[in-house]
């Protein structure tokens, strides 16, 4: 018996369609993470779900879709609020480790 689209998947597609018809940013309606990088010295992350790891060379931030990893040197949290965190320092890279990215990779 073939499985149909998941309930969560159908709901997300509905929200995406609604977002487009209302001309609202997707990150607002879908709670998507949004990262704004300012040069190599600051990144502002919206819609985060908390700090997972905090080191001067790496900060891991939980998002709805996985973990956002900021790597560099002299990293620090400039400010943190319920839905927004600002990381400052010398930023070398910004990576999104998506949840379930390896699921179903093997046939």
């Amino acid at each position: 018996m073939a499985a149909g689209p998941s309930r969560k998947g159908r709901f997300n597609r509905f929200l995406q369609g609604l977002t487009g018809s209302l001309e609202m940013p997707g990150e607002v309606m879908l709670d998507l993470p949004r990262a704004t990088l300012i040069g190599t010295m600051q990144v502002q992350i919206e819609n985060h779900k908390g700090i997972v790891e905090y080191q001067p060379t790496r900060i891991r931030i939980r998002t709805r879709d996985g973990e956002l990893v900021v790597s560099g040197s002299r990293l620090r949290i400039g400010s943190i609020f319920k839905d927004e965190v600002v990381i400052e320092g010398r930023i070398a890279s910004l990576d999104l480790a998506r949840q379930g990215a390896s699921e179903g990779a093997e046939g």
Side-chain angles (χ1 to χ4, degrees):
M1 177 182 218
S6 72
R7 187 178 213 176
K8 185 177 180 181
R10 287 191 309 253
F11 183 69
N12 280 341
R13 282 192 299 282
F14 167 76
L15 283 179
Q16 288 171 348
L18 183 62
T19 297
S21 63
L22 294 176
E23 297 181 12
M24 293 183 69
E27 67 271 10
V28 173
M29 289 288 289
L30 301 173
D31 195 32
L32 298 174
R34 177 179 174 159
T36 305
L37 186 62
I38 301 169
T40 58
M41 61 184 175
Q42 187 180 75
V43 62
Q44 175 186 0
I45 300 158
E46 299 175 58
N47 298 328
H48 74 93
K49 304 297 180 197
I51 305 296
V52 177
E53 178 184 7
Y54 178 67
Q55 301 292 325
T57 57
R58 183 165 92 162
I59 299 176
R60 292 173 34 219
I61 300 160
R62 183 175 293 118
T63 71
R64 186 193 97 167
D65 293 336
E67 287 184 2
L68 193 60
V69 182
V70 182
S71 299
S73 61
R74 297 182 177 177
L75 298 178
R76 69 179 191 88
I77 297 173
S79 62
I80 187 167
F81 300 99
K82 180 183 177 212
D83 293 324
E84 177 184 297
V85 62
V86 175
I87 307 297
E88 299 172 341
R90 295 181 180 168
I91 298 169
S93 68
L94 188 61
D95 296 303
L96 178 62
R98 297 197 60 191
Q99 289 177 342
S102 62
E103 291 177 12
E106 296 178 10

